[in-house]
Amino acid sequence: MGSLFRSEKVTLCQLFLQSEAAYNCVSELGEIGLVQFRDLNPDVNAFQRKFVNEVRRCDEMERKLRFLEKEIKKDEIPMLDTGDNPEAPQPREMIDLEATFEKLENEMKEVNANAEALKRNFLELTELKHILRKTQVFFEEAASNGPMTEESVNLLSDEGLTQGGQQALRLGFVAGVILRERIPAFERMLWRACRGNVFLRRAEIEIPLEDPVTGDQVNKSVFIIFFQGEQLKQRVKKICEGFRATLYPCPETQAERREMAIGVMTRIEDLNTVLSQTQDHRHRVLVAAAKNIKVWFNKVRKIKAIYHTLNMFNLDVTQKCLISECWCPVDDLDRIQAALRRGTERSGSSVPSILNRMTTKQEPPTYNKTNKLTGAFQGLIDAYGVATYREVNPAPFAIITFPFLFAIMFGDTGHGIIMFLFGLWMVVKEKSLGASKSDNEIWNTFFGGRYLIMMMGLFSIYTGLIYNDIFSKSMNIFGSSWNADIAYPGDMGNNVEKLMLAKTYRLNPNSTNWSKEPYPFGMDPAWQFATNKLMYVNSFKMKMSVTIGVMQMMFGVILSLFNHVHFGNYLNIYAEFIPQIIFLAFIFLYLVVIIIAKWIYFDPITMNTNCAPALLIGFINMFMFNYPNKDASPTPPCSSLTWYDGQQVIQTLLVVCALICAPWMLLVKPIILRQRSRQVKTHVAVKSITVTEPINGDAVDSDQEVIHHDESTRLEAEVEVEEEFEFGDIFIHQVIHTIEYCLGCISNTASYLRLWALSLAHAELSEVLWNMVFRIGLGIDGWLGAIMVPVVFAPWACLTIAILLLMEGLSAFLHTLRLHWVEFDNKFYSGSGYLFTPFSFDDIMDVPSGLGDD
């Protein structure tokens, strides 16, 4: 098992780096990703650290890169990602990068500003073009309406009518454009504010216009307002300004409007040419940037990570050496030393870096080496709790037990093949799929557990063969061990075909209609058609679930022994492990032995299976110390009687020993710890008296006495703090632990029945789906049946994937997870450690480029 059985040995080291070599050394350590640095300046503000200016420069470079990335995505230009991992640039290269990014940003901002100004001019000219066209239509309609009234003449002509010997006032007008959705409110406001003394004409612009700022398409309308007098003119303009309508100059005569329209069209054509050239230039700049932006992001992130790490270092008094503390795996110290030498050589420093191992009482972080296969299983364990340093790691056992328990609940060969092929496809295509770096969280979850999915599918194929279940149907590979006792004319083929022709039949193990030999592999296909199939399958799966559950719990308790031995907790072996293993074995392991013995001993060939012991009744009688007498009247059923010699004595002894284990777990450990605490206090009291006595019989001055008194008091205080013992707390903790274990053994055993329940549910759902959907097409004869089979296959396949694979698969996965976390890990796994998180560039590169580092 090696390091997978326990976490790697990790030691605390002190690192001395020369100032000129620190950057390159940290860069090399980031490449190998084997060092977890500790912050030696926890009380120093982030803005007061030595390399805060460099971090700010990196933040500024990241901001510029994000701006460029946003512009590239806006133009939908693909960004080249070769997968290269460039080395961290030297500090002097930061100036070149800053200059490059500054130039690109300024150029893009200038191009954007010019493009925005051009688009704004283009929008204004386009709106003016539509105003000239629409207003011309207004005036032409007025002119074509026949004889003009007095009001029309005053409204449209250059000469007003005279009334009362005086010239009438000419009406003025304004024209503009406004957003289409603001028209109703705009009309109401004009009517109310001007009291109906204005005349409004409007027309929609058919083609949506582009907003120069946001780039969105907006719908606008042209309007023209006629009014009389300067006061109304000012009021109309204020209303237009309030509704953010744009007003444009509109000549009064037709000739002037035609001339202006020609000029507007000419300017629009010129603007189109300039806009096209501006967009081409912008596109060329962004295409060039898109080729390198991924590499630039990686370089800037590495620089920032290095300086962020250097901010956790301390400076010595000479300001020439940087000092840090870090956790390092013991087996990788040589690689770390080699990386430090490479960093020193790159920097050109003549003083080597120094790495010293330190002794500490602090608990090291937990570091488990994983690969593509074991990483998914280790992630499941870490989700429950990170292992305490050097305790037994459940992950290597979960590699087998997790997919196996899942397969027990998901046992179907057909569904297992689909799941296995899906996982195998992700494994085979993992390089191309991993390079795509999808943002879909659900897909990333599936892809991260591709090996887990593949193994769950593989184990499901195996359990499906055991259950002889493929899409709710059985396979007749080895024929049947049952003989059909129904008379048929002629040769009706093999036994399975004869049994299928019988609409209803019941298989009786006590009968002579079977070959007296066990079936070669898995379940006999004859059970598929038997009326007592469900009774048989339920009995088999229920007993199998209890057996597997007790075995796994026993294994978990045994693993706790390895933890006790490794950490030197020998008291836990005598006070916890031994009573726990006795309690579990004498009750629940005995139940498993009875189950297996019943399967083996009560053979229908040699014994009457009707007298096979009733496990539930026998178990209740065992705890009630109630054993029926076969000579009693009335005669009890034979299934409730003892069935082997000495059964009553053995079972009574097992129950008594199991009951003794409860006070054993409850009292032994607190009492022994209390006795040890008293011995330690007595030893401390004797030591404190010895320290306060004078060295010789001479008198000592009061100062010396005070000093000695202070030292002895401090010594007593330190010892008392280290050896402080609270019997009440320990006893209460042990009471809770004892109750939890004893009741947990019962509830956990019952919890493993979920293996039977979900297996039954999965098989029944699969059968219902087959009978109610796919069987419809198979039940139709002739050419119509040939058409209906592919028609019903599509919904059957979709429902199979959606319900049986995804929903049922997720349900089985969660139940398997619970069995490992609660029923198995709880027996030996404390999970109170913290992860080893080394400084690694690989972790930094996994961050999406659009997100800034915190």
Side-chain angles (χ1 to χ4, degrees), residues 660-705:
I660 292 174
C661 290
W664 186 352
M665 286 185 283
L666 177 64
L667 300 174
V668 172
K669 184 176 180 180
I671 292 174
I672 294 178
L673 289 177
R674 185 178 185 182
Q675 184 65 26
R676 288 181 181 178
S677 176
R678 288 178 176 176
Q679 294 176 357
V680 170
K681 288 182 179 179
T682 303
H683 176 71
V684 170
V686 172
K687 187 172 183 179
S688 64
I689 294 172
T690 304
V691 172
T692 54
E693 289 180 352
I695 298 176
N696 51 44
D698 299 335
V700 294
D701 57 20
S702 59
D703 292 340
Q704 290 176 331
E705 288 181 2

Side-chain angles (χ1 to χ4, degrees), residues 46-63:
F47 300 101
Q48 296 176 343
R49 303 202 178 194
K50 178 175 176 59
F51 299 100
V52 63
N53 291 329
E54 285 78 3
V55 174
R56 285 175 175 171
R57 290 167 62 188
C58 292
D59 287 336
E60 182 64 17
M61 286 191 289
E62 277 194 322
R63 183 195 62 78

